[in-house]
Amino acid sequence: MSSTENRVKGAKDRVNSLQQEGRLRRDTSRSKKVVPKTDAYTYTLRTAYLTYLLEPRARRKEHVAPPKRHVQRSATSINDMVKDFSLIRDSRSTKFPHGFMSELDKRMTGVLQMREKMKGYDDPAVKRTFAAFLNEFKKPDYRKSVEKDRRVEDLLLIFFSNATKVLQQGKAPEDDSWKLMVDRHVALFVRLISATLKDHDWSRERPELATRLQTLEAKLLVHDQDLSAETQRNGAGGTTVEVEVPRSYEVKDMGLVQTVAKMFGMSNGQVQGDIMDNKATWTEEAALQDLKMYQTNLSLNTKKTLTHNDFDLDEGYESWKKAESHDLAELVMAILQSSPELAKTSGNFLPQFQPTNGNASDSGYSDMSRGASEQSSGEPGSPYIVDQPVDMSFLNLDETVHEELPKDDQPYTFIPPDPRAFYRYVLNLALSHDIRDQELQPTEATEENPSIKLLSKQSTTLLNELGIRWRIPQFSRLILLLDVIREKYINQEIPLDTVDTAFEFVKKPIDDRKARKDSQVVQSSLFDRSKWTVADFALNQQVLSSLHDAFLRELFENFVQCYESKPPSIGPVMYVLEHHIYDDPLFAKTPEDLDEFADRVRIELRQRARDLYGGMLSDQIPGKLEDWEFFHVIQLGKSVIKLAEKIQKRWRKNPEAMGVNPFTILVEEVFPAYVGDSRDLVKRIMTFAEEKGEPVPVQDGFDLYKELVSIRQVYSTALPGVQFGFHIEDLLSEFVWRWIKLTDANMNDWVENSIKQDQFQVRSEAEIPPDEERHSVSVVDIFRSFNQSIEQIVSLDWDDDYQYAKFMTAISKTISTGLGRYCELIEQTFTKEMDRLTPQQEAEVRQTRQEKWVQLAKDAWANKEKIEPFQFLPESLVKLNNVEYAILQLDKLEHEVNVDACAEVVQKHEPQTKLHQQIDKYVFTIKIIEAEDLKACDINGLSDPYVVLGDEYQKRLAKTRVVYGNLNPRWDETIDIATQGPLNIIATIWDWDALGDHDCVGRTSLKLDPSHFRDYLPREYWLDLDTQGRLLLRVSMEGERDDIQFYFGKAFRTLKRAERDMTRRITDKLSAYIHHCLSRRALKNLLNKGFTVSAVAGYFNRNRVQSVQPQGPSQADVGSTLKPLFTYFDDNFAIMKQTLTDTAMVTVMTRLWKEVLSTIESLIVPPLSDKPSSQRQLTQQELDIVFKWLEMLFDFFHAVDEEGVANGVPLDILKSPKYHEIVSMNYFYFLPTDDLIRDSERIAAVSLQKRQQAAGNNRLSAPATLLTTNTPGGLGHAFGGGAGLMGLPSTRRSKSIMLSRNLGTMKKAKEEKRREMQAEPSDDIILRILRMRPEAERYLRDRSRQKERLAAAAAAEMIVRQSLLAGVTGRGRGPGR
């Protein structure tokens, strides 16, 4: 424990012992006797009057006039002054320069207007002289004369004459003092002339003139006269002496007396009368007598002053007594300085005094007494000695005073009977007076101390004088100040800031840099409480305890109002408590008391919070149930949040005070109440709305959810670990489902309206629009709708992952439906635009049947086949751009939604039984591949076939494009059909006619039964038509799942199919010309340019090796045959390039490349079938030409420029499996038939072996013999019969919807398919070559029969396997892929 703490503890123990002994008579229950105001006024006035008497008297200077003397001039006449100028021979050097007179005029005018800065010209007498001269100077005749002569003497004579007249006026004849003033004024005039010359740099031109003017000025001021002084101006001279100003004894000259009058409400006249009545008694001698008596009591150690018993430590008493002796000596010296004559009557009372060796003083007279001592030390017979102790035993520590004291008991004139009580009374009065004084200005703020407003300077001076004269110790004055502040604060007379100011004033130490060395003892006693009196120590404790209780009351009142809109601040109270009460070691409260206070505050705050919430509840929620809306719950929540945020912000810097956290209390009371009320309110509102049949608006539900979530966030932050009252998402998920349902119902309307308002024009007006602006507004609008729909759910910030994933799944289904409808509508318009008649076709429509036959005969005779380039409409190409844009936007949307994460969440939360429950809806994917051997319906022996799929109720399900002029058409078009059970589909092939009804080519049917596709493997069917020919279909099935990946995959597949179909319709317009240019007729025409029998020789010698190659056409001839085709491509590409994007352009060119490969393939070999073909095998020369065409077309589509940069179709697309298959034909094409059969059997055996190995890894897979189409016993879709009716599992991978859910999965599936095709051996090429060999007919027939037997076995095996699967996993179970 430190020494200070030990002293404080000892002082406390001393106070307790003194209280037990009864030595401190401080009964707080008994009221204090009041000091009479008249007595307080009298003693205060006496002290203020004594201060006036002891003030150093003012001094003033008095002039003593010298004896008059006769004034003599330094020159006898003005002629002597101008003699130096008039006797010069070279008069030009002394003349003024031209223009000088006007400048002198301005300078003289400036003197009269007081603009002259040189000294001496502001004298009124000088201005009168200059004014008289200026009037004469401005006269035209005189001005003209002086400007002509420009002589100095002319100006001097006239000025001297005017100065003499002006200064002589009013003087007595015998008074010649004015003559010296004439010389002074002339000197000032000469000085002004010199200054004018110098300012205009004329002194350099007239150096002699300037020198003589200076000499003349010196002569005129030869007596060194200061004529501007008062004595010189009056001509009096003499000396000045200092004399004391006699006292006036008037109140107006007494500063402290006036302060007393204001403080006690007395007029100056009343105070003046009291002073005059007691003037003879209130003297310096009486004050000196008071000090003598006080010193005697101090020496005798009587009870009338402080004694050892009044201090806890002897050290404190000795320190006080030592400082008291020094102060008494200074006070005595101050009185003797004011009245030196009292020193002669003091006798031996004053011992030897050496003020410089004093140790301490608290009076303001230290310096004054020291000065008096130094001044008096030099006077003989006046030794001032003060070395004996002074007693102040008359001081009474009791705060009470006697109401009536006999006059005989009042030996002092200036010291009251109870100085401590009187001082406290005056201090209280002064503080009250200064508080009421509105003109009292606060002190100036500094870096260390703020601006304060406590006592005025006059009151502070008066209180200091009272403390010094009444011998109140400095620490007692400070404690009394705090006691008065305490009383006034409790009585609500002063604010808290004044209390803080008082404490700061008491604690403020004396600046060591400014303090005297003898003040160190005083300062140590001020802040060392062990040196205080026990009474002051106890009073300090009482003040702290009383103020603490008052502060806690105010703190409680302010604290419990913290939830109000404008609550009082608790900061000032907390600051005073912490810095002035709790930091004080004398404060005796225990922590238990503070805990009790904190508990009281918490209880009251909880009640206030409940009341506040009750008020908000009654304000926001109507009284009637039928008036309740979600809006009211939202407003109540907003009020709660606003209140919480306001309180949190208000208490952000200091969340707790006195251990109380208002924000936590508010949240603990208000939030649970609101949570429970909001849950009940919402349920009742929804129930009441359902009963009325008017559901709550969806947006109201969304707004309520956002509000409740924000409250839950604040709730979890403020009350960690406390569970929220209810699950908001379960309560309000109904509104999201309603919104999704409404969006789904409106989606098709939105799509249709966007298409109706779309002109399908490029949105950019630039000459070459960028790719990102080559689509129209409809696709932008629908994706804006999609994004807004998803953003609506995202913006809810739904805090339930499973429900959020289900919402996204449902909205993805809506998006898939909308995209399907969009593709359907634009494909319809696109088809109409692409199927429009050309001008030639319109002309043919108008021809009669006879005209058509005649025209056909002419074309046949002329060997002419008219094929014109197709003019594409920009609107059609923009639609293709829209589909491409939709694919990119859907892929972007798929990543933003995070489809895989949503699917994973659903899979995690849903039970496995639900994932494998019975699928009641299926999607059949039907690919219409090709037909062969169709009936000819046109007069040219060909047909223009297309396929229409319908159900048994004659409802159209799909329609393919038209393949013109072909009896073996290939469509490769895919459609999806959704069904919940078995479905019979009817496929009808029609012949398109430009005029009249379309002719039926043939019809067939197929039953789609989900039970036949439980393995979810694709199957291929050759369906015989009811007329002639057959149709090849590939069918696959997958269960439609409520899965977000499924819906996005379905949307992607819809878009890709639309893109593929539209691209195919574009390329179909070019395919006719491709077939024309890459035909056997073109080969024949090329070879017929020169005589050759290569065709005949090739036909007869195809089975023999040709030793001599006939000479064929040159490279240029071959290229010339393709030039029209290249021109045709360039023309059409130019039209497309104006509208299509680069990506769409590559897509179209890729499709054209496939068409080129298909055309070249059809030139070389017939399609795959089990029947012999009538197509003739090409000769070696013809085959070489075909491969040259392929090479040229490859380079054309690759489009490598001069710099080696490819601008066309990428190389990996050009070198497709079909391309490599065509290239490989060159190896097998001319092999003997027997070799081809052996190669076919070898390749089939290898393929079978691989399939058997793969089948052995999966026991539930179909037998290996059923999994191949290329075995010797099976020719896949190339052969009909029983296999075609039953359908076989295909080796081709089904394009599953789940593998099409984004661009990444689609690209991955395509790469895998390419690798499988390159790795798997196939004998299709050999079989197609064998169709052109009549000797292979039997081989083809044997394989067909074997295929039929294996197809029946495969069907039976499949039935058995499905039965086993149904028994193990239950009907309908499957991967659903």
Side-chain angles (χ1 to χ4, degrees):
M1 184 179 294
S2 63
S3 58
T4 303
E5 293 177 347
N6 289 328
R7 288 195 296 269
V8 171
K9 182 177 183 302
K12 290 182 179 179
D13 297 339
R14 182 66 171 170
V15 169
N16 296 331
S17 62
L18 289 176
Q19 289 176 344
Q20 294 174 359
E21 296 173 4
R23 295 166 58 185
L24 284 176
R25 298 180 298 275
R26 305 174 53 86
D27 187 357
T28 56
S29 62
R30 177 170 54 89
S31 61
K32 301 176 182 178
K33 293 184 179 180
V34 182
V35 175
K37 181 178 179 180
T38 55
D39 294 349
Y41 162 71
T42 300
Y43 280 98
T44 305
L45 181 62
R46 294 178 187 183
T47 303
Y49 175 67
L50 177 61
T51 302
Y52 171 72
L53 294 178
L54 297 181
E55 287 179 352
R57 298 181 183 178
R59 293 178 176 273
R60 65 184 180 187
K61 295 181 180 181
E62 291 188 355
H63 179 260
V64 179
K68 294 184 178 181
R69 58 186 180 84
H70 182 70
V71 180
Q72 295 182 353
R73 294 187 55 79
S74 58
T76 56
S77 66
I78 189 62
N79 294 330
D80 295 336
M81 290 188 291
V82 300
K83 185 186 301 181
D84 295 339
F85 295 96
S86 60
L87 295 179
I88 296 175
R89 294 180 180 180
D90 186 11
S91 58
R92 183 180 179 279
S93 61
T94 58
K95 287 186 178 183
F96 293 115
H98 292 284
F100 174 78
M101 297 303 171
S102 60
E103 296 299 328
L104 181 63
D105 190 349
K106 296 178 182 178
R107 199 69 178 262
M108 296 283 290
T109 304
V111 171
L112 299 181
Q113 294 177 355
M114 300 183 67
R115 290 187 285 101
E116 183 59 49
K117 296 181 179 180
M118 292 190 297
K119 295 182 179 180
Y121 292 92
D122 55 349
D123 192 344
V126 174
K127 290 192 285 185
R128 289 197 303 271
T129 304
F130 275 63
F133 168 73
L134 188 59
N135 291 335
E136 187 70 26
F137 184 71
K138 285 183 175 294
K139 291 181 179 181
D141 296 340
Y142 178 73
R143 182 66 173 269
K144 183 177 181 181
S145 175
V146 297
E147 286 182 351
K148 178 180 179 182
D149 297 335
R150 293 182 287 117
R151 295 186 300 176
V152 179
E153 52 268 29
D154 294 341
L155 295 179
L156 292 176
L157 290 175
I158 297 301
F159 186 86
F160 179 81
S161 175
N162 284 279
T164 301
K165 293 178 182 180
V166 171
L167 295 175
Q168 193 177 7
Q169 292 178 357
K171 302 293 183 180
E174 64 275 8
D175 186 5
D176 57 355
S177 61
W178 58 271
K179 295 182 180 180
L180 292 178
M181 295 302 297
V182 172
D183 292 348
R184 172 66 175 174
H185 288 194
V186 174
L188 291 175
F189 178 66
V190 174
R191 184 179 298 174
L192 190 68
I193 293 175
S194 300
T196 304
L197 291 173
K198 184 177 180 182
D199 291 345
H200 293 78
D201 207 22
W202 285 326
S203 57
R204 294 185 181 182
E205 299 178 2
R206 303 287 195 276
E208 186 174 354
L209 175 61
T211 302
R212 292 187 179 276
L213 288 174
Q214 292 177 0
T215 303
L216 177 60
E217 180 182 352
K219 287 182 180 180
L220 293 172
L221 300 176
V222 68
H223 295 294
D224 195 22
Q225 307 156 358
D226 186 7
L227 300 183
S228 63
E230 184 67 23
T231 56
Q232 294 297 335
R233 289 199 299 268
N234 297 334
T239 59
T240 301
V241 297
E242 288 188 353
V243 296
E244 289 185 350
V245 179
R247 294 191 181 100
S248 63
Y249 296 98
E250 296 181 0
V251 175
K252 65 180 181 66
D253 296 330
M254 306 176 186
L256 287 185
V257 172
Q258 294 180 20
T259 303
V260 173
K262 294 179 180 179
M263 190 178 300
F264 285 90
M266 309 292 286
S267 64
N268 289 346
Q270 292 174 326
V271 176
Q272 185 71 54
D274 294 339
I275 291 176
M276 299 309 296
D277 293 343
N278 297 282
K279 180 179 179 182
T281 305
W282 300 347
T283 61
E284 296 97 322
E285 185 177 1
L288 185 60
Q289 185 63 28
D290 286 353
L291 293 178
K292 290 179 181 180
M293 295 182 63
Y294 183 84
Q295 185 177 17
T296 301
N297 290 331
L298 184 64
S299 301
L300 297 177
N301 198 20
T302 64
K303 294 183 178 180
K304 294 183 178 180
T305 184
L306 300 179
T307 63
H308 288 281
N309 293 331
D310 296 318
F311 289 89
D312 182 55
L313 301 176
D314 292 339
E315 179 185 356
Y317 173 74
E318 294 298 332
S319 176
W320 168 81
K321 185 175 180 180
K322 189 174 184 180
E324 197 73 1
S325 300
H326 183 271
D327 291 344
L328 288 174
E330 285 192 345
L331 293 174
V332 170
M333 294 302 299
I335 295 175
L336 295 179
Q337 179 187 7
S338 177
S339 300
E341 65 274 5
L342 294 179
K344 301 176 182 179
T345 61
S346 297
N348 295 328
F349 169 70
L350 297 175
Q352 183 66 35
F353 175 59
Q354 297 178 354
T356 57
N357 296 329
N359 292 327
S361 174
D362 68 346
S363 70
Y365 293 85
S366 301
D367 296 337
M368 186 185 304
S369 60
R370 183 181 299 110
S373 175
E374 292 173 356
Q375 183 178 357
S376 304
S377 61
E379 298 179 3
S382 59
Y384 300 127
I385 48 176
V386 183
D387 65 3
Q388 67 181 18
V390 181
D391 188 10
M392 294 188 65
S393 59
F394 66 88
L395 287 175
N396 187 3
L397 294 177
D398 195 353
E399 290 188 357
T400 61
V401 296
H402 299 286
E403 295 180 351
E404 296 180 0
L405 293 175
K407 294 184 178 180
D408 297 339
D409 296 338
Q410 298 179 4
Y412 299 109
T413 303
F414 294 96
I415 302 177
D418 190 349
R420 185 184 179 92
F422 274 75
Y423 181 84
R424 187 184 185 284
Y425 180 87
V426 177
L427 175 61
N428 191 352
L429 191 65
L431 191 59
S432 301
H433 174 268
D434 289 343
I435 290 175
R436 293 190 301 269
D437 187 6
Q438 300 295 331
E439 297 181 358
L440 176 64
Q441 298 296 326
T443 60
E444 185 177 356
T446 62
E447 294 182 358
E448 295 83 7
N449 301 306
S451 176
I452 61 174
K453 180 178 180 181
L454 190 62
L455 290 169
S456 64
K457 182 179 180 181
Q458 295 79 5
S459 299
T460 304
T461 304
L462 176 62
L463 291 173
N464 286 337
E465 287 296 327
L466 295 180
I468 293 170
R469 298 297 171 187
W470 296 354
R471 305 314 305 150
I472 308 296
Q474 183 69 23
F475 49 81
S476 298
R477 301 181 212 168
L478 298 179
I479 297 304
L480 291 174
L481 173 62
L482 291 181
D483 188 38
V484 172
I485 291 294
R486 173 197 60 80
E487 178 182 344
K488 289 189 172 296
Y489 177 72
I490 293 176
N491 296 333
Q492 298 182 354
E493 298 181 24
I494 59 175
L496 185 65
D497 293 342
T498 305
V499 180
D500 178 52
T501 303
F503 272 105
E504 294 292 343
F505 174 76
V506 170
K507 292 181 179 181
K508 182 180 179 181
I510 301 175
D511 192 351
D512 296 338
R513 295 173 297 180
K514 300 180 180 179
R516 304 187 305 273
K517 293 181 180 180
D518 55 5
S519 66
Q520 296 176 358
V521 177
V522 178
Q523 183 168 344
S524 64
S525 64
L526 287 179
F527 301 100
D528 187 0
R529 293 175 178 175
S530 63
K531 297 181 181 180
W532 287 12
T533 64
V534 178
D536 289 326
F537 193 94
L539 180 59
N540 191 11
Q541 272 191 327
Q542 183 187 15
V543 168
L544 292 177
S545 178
S546 179
L547 282 176
H548 177 258
D549 295 339
F551 291 155
L552 286 186
R553 287 193 297 271
E554 182 175 354
L555 180 62
F556 181 84
E557 294 175 359
N558 294 349
F559 217 141
V560 297
Q561 301 179 54
C562 66
Y563 298 147
E564 303 295 333
S565 57
K566 293 183 179 180
S569 175
I570 67 170
V573 184
M574 291 295 302
Y575 177 84
V576 175
L577 276 173
E578 293 175 358
H579 289 80
H580 303 316
I581 303 299
Y582 296 146
D583 288 351
D584 199 310
L586 291 183
F587 180 68
K589 289 288 183 179
T590 61
E592 289 75 12
D593 298 331
L594 301 181
D595 294 340
E596 180 182 357
F597 171 79
D599 293 339
R600 289 178 52 215
V601 173
R602 292 190 188 98
I603 294 173
E604 184 64 25
L605 283 179
R606 291 186 183 279
Q607 185 60 42
R608 294 288 181 99
R610 289 192 292 267
D611 296 342
L612 188 61
Y613 174 72
M616 290 190 294
L617 187 64
S618 59
D619 292 341
Q620 299 296 342
I621 306 300
K624 297 181 180 180
L625 174 60
E626 54 268 20
D627 296 333
W628 291 1
E629 296 179 0
F630 280 3
F631 172 76
H632 301 124
V633 183
I634 293 173
Q635 291 302 114
L636 179 61
K638 288 183 177 180
S639 301
V640 172
I641 288 293
K642 183 177 180 181
L643 175 63
E645 290 176 347
K646 180 173 68 175
I647 300 303
Q648 186 181 29
K649 182 179 180 181
R650 184 179 295 169
W651 293 84
R652 182 178 63 254
K653 294 183 179 180
N654 299 302
E656 288 190 1
M658 303 293 288
V660 179
N661 191 321
F663 175 71
T664 302
I665 293 175
L666 177 72
V667 173
E668 290 175 348
E669 290 296 326
V670 175
F671 278 25
Y674 173 75
V675 170
D677 291 343
S678 63
R679 176 192 57 208
D680 298 338
L681 288 170
V682 170
K683 288 183 178 179
R684 296 186 65 182
I685 291 173
M686 294 174 64
T687 303
F688 185 75
E690 290 178 1
E691 293 175 355
K692 289 177 60 179
E694 299 176 357
V696 180
V698 173
Q699 188 60 44
D700 290 354
F702 289 169
D703 295 339
L704 177 62
Y705 175 78
K706 292 179 181 178
E707 192 64 33
L708 290 177
V709 167
S710 63
I711 293 177
R712 184 170 60 186
Q713 291 174 351
V714 179
Y715 186 97
S716 60
T717 302
L719 301 175
V722 180
Q723 189 69 24
F724 197 72
F726 64 98
H727 195 254
I728 304 173
E729 286 71 21
D730 288 343
L731 182 64
L732 300 178
S733 60
E734 172 190 343
F735 293 93
V736 185
W737 288 117
R738 284 172 50 194
W739 179 84
I740 293 175
K741 184 178 180 181
L742 183 63
T743 302
D744 186 68
N746 295 329
M747 180 57 68
N748 286 340
D749 294 337
W750 295 346
V751 171
E752 292 171 3
N753 291 331
S754 65
I755 292 178
K756 288 179 182 178
Q757 298 174 5
D758 193 1
Q759 300 296 325
F760 292 99
Q761 300 292 331
V762 176
R763 296 185 298 123
S764 176
E765 297 180 357
E767 182 178 356
I768 302 178
D771 281 0
E772 57 271 12
E773 296 182 1
R774 290 180 179 245
H775 49 272
S776 62
V777 296
S778 61
V779 69
V780 177
D781 292 340
I782 64 170
F783 270 94
R784 184 182 296 116
S785 301
F786 296 160
N787 287 316
Q788 289 175 354
S789 300
I790 292 178
E791 182 61 29
Q792 177 64 60
I793 299 178
V794 173
S795 64
L796 293 176
D797 197 14
W798 202 260
D799 197 13
D800 188 303
D801 293 341
Y802 174 66
Q803 292 184 5
Y804 176 80
K806 294 298 289 183
F807 295 156
M808 286 301 177
T809 301
I811 202 68
S812 65
K813 180 179 180 182
T814 302
I815 292 174
S816 177
T817 303
L819 284 175
R821 181 59 178 166
Y822 182 78
C823 291
E824 179 184 356
L825 294 177
I826 65 171
E827 279 193 274
Q828 290 177 0
T829 56
F830 181 84
T831 302
K832 292 179 181 179
E833 293 168 356
M834 297 300 293
D835 290 345
R836 74 186 190 278
L837 298 177
T838 63
Q840 180 183 359
Q841 291 173 337
E842 292 179 355
E844 292 177 354
V845 169
R846 292 190 294 268
Q847 290 179 350
T848 63
R849 188 175 183 86
Q850 183 178 1
E851 291 175 343
K852 290 182 179 180
W853 278 103
V854 172
Q855 185 65 37
L856 183 61
K858 291 181 179 180
D859 293 341
W861 180 261
N863 196 18
K864 178 181 180 183
E865 186 178 351
K866 296 183 178 179
I867 300 178
E868 297 180 355
F870 188 83
Q871 297 296 322
F872 297 96
L873 296 177
E875 304 92 90
S876 303
L877 301 179
V878 167
K879 292 181 177 66
L880 181 58
N881 291 340
N882 286 359
V883 173
E884 180 216 350
Y885 175 83
I887 293 173
L888 297 177
Q889 291 301 310
L890 185 64
D891 185 67
K892 180 180 178 182
L893 193 63
E894 192 264 351
H895 286 84
E896 292 177 352
V897 173
N898 200 351
V899 169
D900 294 339
C902 292
E904 184 179 352
V905 169
V906 173
Q907 185 177 5
K908 179 180 178 181
H909 286 79
E910 288 186 349
Q912 294 297 319
T913 56
K914 185 175 181 180
L915 292 176
H916 297 292
Q917 67 184 0
Q918 180 179 355
I919 299 176
D920 57 358
K921 193 172 184 180
Y922 304 91
V923 177
F924 281 96
T925 301
I926 302 176
K927 183 174 185 180
I928 306 172
I929 301 176
E930 62 179 342
E932 65 178 24
D933 238 359
L934 296 182
K935 181 180 67 174
C937 296
D938 293 336
I939 58 177
N940 59 358
L942 300 174
S943 294
D944 302 323
Y946 66 92
V947 181
V948 174
L949 293 184
D951 60 9
E952 51 192 326
Y953 304 104
Q954 298 183 355
K955 177 183 177 181
R956 176 180 288 190
L957 301 177
K959 173 181 176 295
T960 67
R961 75 188 191 283
V962 178
V963 178
Y964 296 97
N966 201 324
L967 298 179
N968 298 291
R970 189 178 186 90
W971 291 280
D972 284 330
E973 294 191 18
T974 306
I975 62 170
D976 288 338
I977 299 177
T979 180
Q980 294 181 351
L983 176 67
N984 291 320
I985 62 169
I986 299 175
T988 304
I989 301 178
W990 296 90
D991 172 58
W992 181 88
D993 287 328
L995 183 63
D997 296 333
H998 298 185
D999 299 325
C1000 179
V1001 178
R1003 182 179 289 108
T1004 187
S1005 63
L1006 177 66
K1007 183 178 181 180
L1008 302 178
D1009 192 347
S1011 62
H1012 296 164
F1013 291 84
R1014 293 303 180 187
D1015 56 358
Y1016 296 95
L1017 293 176
R1019 289 168 174 77
E1020 293 179 345
Y1021 296 91
W1022 271 109
L1023 303 176
D1024 292 328
L1025 301 179
D1026 58 357
T1027 54
Q1028 74 174 57
R1030 55 184 179 173
L1031 175 67
L1032 178 62
L1033 301 180
R1034 181 181 295 128
V1035 182
S1036 63
M1037 185 196 76
E1038 54 188 325
E1040 183 166 326
R1041 301 167 51 183
D1042 186 23
D1043 184 276
I1044 188 171
Q1045 293 178 331
F1046 177 84
Y1047 293 130
F1048 266 92
K1050 187 176 181 180
F1052 267 109
R1053 193 160 70 171
T1054 301
L1055 289 172
K1056 293 300 290 184
R1057 285 180 178 175
E1059 180 188 43
R1060 183 187 60 204
D1061 293 343
M1062 295 170 69
T1063 304
R1064 181 170 289 168
R1065 288 190 179 276
I1066 292 176
T1067 56
D1068 283 348
K1069 297 301 178 181
L1070 308 181
S1071 61
Y1073 197 69
I1074 294 175
H1075 296 161
H1076 170 73
C1077 295
L1078 302 177
S1079 63
R1080 289 180 176 257
R1081 181 181 298 176
L1083 279 174
K1084 182 178 180 181
N1085 292 336
L1086 178 61
L1087 295 175
N1088 286 338
K1089 289 183 178 180
F1091 178 77
T1092 178
V1093 294
S1094 58
V1096 178
Y1099 178 78
F1100 287 103
N1101 300 323
R1102 59 186 176 190
N1103 292 327
R1104 284 182 290 174
V1105 179
Q1106 298 179 4
S1107 59
V1108 181
Q1109 295 294 334
Q1111 183 178 2
S1114 64
Q1115 185 75 15
D1117 294 335
V1118 175
S1120 64
T1121 59
L1122 294 184
K1123 187 175 181 181
L1125 180 61
F1126 291 157
T1127 304
Y1128 180 76
F1129 281 160
D1130 289 336
D1131 294 341
N1132 284 278
F1133 289 168
I1135 298 174
M1136 297 179 191
K1137 188 61 178 175
Q1138 294 177 359
T1139 306
L1140 289 180
T1141 62
D1142 292 342
T1143 304
M1145 193 68 195
V1146 172
T1147 303
V1148 172
M1149 293 176 68
T1150 301
R1151 181 59 200 171
L1152 278 176
W1153 172 247
K1154 292 181 179 180
E1155 189 69 26
V1156 167
L1157 292 179
S1158 177
T1159 304
I1160 291 178
E1161 183 185 38
S1162 65
L1163 282 176
I1164 301 175
V1165 293
L1168 189 63
S1169 177
D1170 60 343
K1171 299 178 181 180
S1173 174
S1174 60
Q1175 181 174 336
R1176 178 183 58 84
Q1177 185 173 352
L1178 298 178
T1179 65
Q1180 183 66 54
Q1181 191 177 27
E1182 291 174 333
L1183 187 63
D1184 292 342
I1185 294 174
V1186 171
F1187 277 104
K1188 288 181 181 179
W1189 284 350
L1190 179 63
E1191 182 182 358
M1192 293 179 182
L1193 287 168
F1194 184 94
D1195 295 337
F1196 176 82
F1197 278 92
H1198 195 34
V1200 178
D1201 57 16
E1202 297 177 355
E1203 298 179 357
V1205 178
N1207 299 309
V1209 181
L1211 199 61
D1212 58 336
I1213 297 177
L1214 290 174
K1215 292 185 178 182
S1216 62
K1218 177 65 71 175
Y1219 173 81
H1220 290 290
E1221 186 176 309
I1222 295 174
V1223 173
S1224 65
M1225 289 182 184
N1226 199 16
Y1227 172 76
F1228 296 102
Y1229 201 73
F1230 294 107
L1231 287 178
T1233 302
D1234 294 339
D1235 294 344
L1236 289 176
I1237 293 175
R1238 283 193 297 270
D1239 288 341
S1240 175
E1241 292 176 347
R1242 177 182 54 80
I1243 294 173
V1246 173
S1247 178
L1248 174 61
Q1249 183 180 3
K1250 288 185 178 180
R1251 293 180 186 280
Q1252 288 176 344
Q1253 293 176 355
N1257 297 329
N1258 185 2
R1259 291 181 299 174
L1260 294 180
S1261 300
T1265 56
L1266 304 179
L1267 296 177
T1268 178
T1269 62
N1270 300 323
T1271 63
L1275 292 176
H1277 68 254
F1279 306 106
L1285 293 175
M1286 296 298 298
L1288 283 179
S1290 174
T1291 59
R1292 298 180 181 269
R1293 177 180 294 272
S1294 173
K1295 294 184 179 179
S1296 170
I1297 293 178
M1298 301 300 292
L1299 296 177
S1300 304
R1301 62 181 181 270
N1302 56 45
L1303 293 180
T1305 58
M1306 295 171 68
K1307 183 177 180 181
K1308 184 177 180 181
K1310 184 179 293 186
E1311 291 296 331
E1312 186 176 351
K1313 178 182 177 183
R1314 179 189 293 268
R1315 287 194 300 269
E1316 290 179 357
M1317 293 182 64
Q1318 292 177 350
E1320 182 179 349
S1322 174
D1323 63 343
D1324 287 353
I1325 299 175
I1326 298 176
L1327 294 176
R1328 296 174 70 176
I1329 295 175
L1330 289 175
R1331 286 193 64 195
M1332 297 184 293
R1333 308 285 178 91
E1335 59 272 20
E1337 179 180 0
R1338 183 176 180 180
Y1339 174 75
L1340 296 176
R1341 185 172 59 253
D1342 291 342
R1343 290 193 65 174
S1344 175
R1345 292 173 181 174
Q1346 185 180 10
K1347 183 68 175 181
E1348 293 174 1
R1349 292 193 299 269
L1350 293 177
E1357 177 70 20
M1358 189 173 299
I1359 293 174
V1360 173
R1361 185 177 59 168
Q1362 291 174 358
S1363 299
L1364 293 175
L1365 289 174
V1368 175
T1369 61
R1371 186 178 184 275
R1373 179 175 175 179
R1377 293 178 296 116

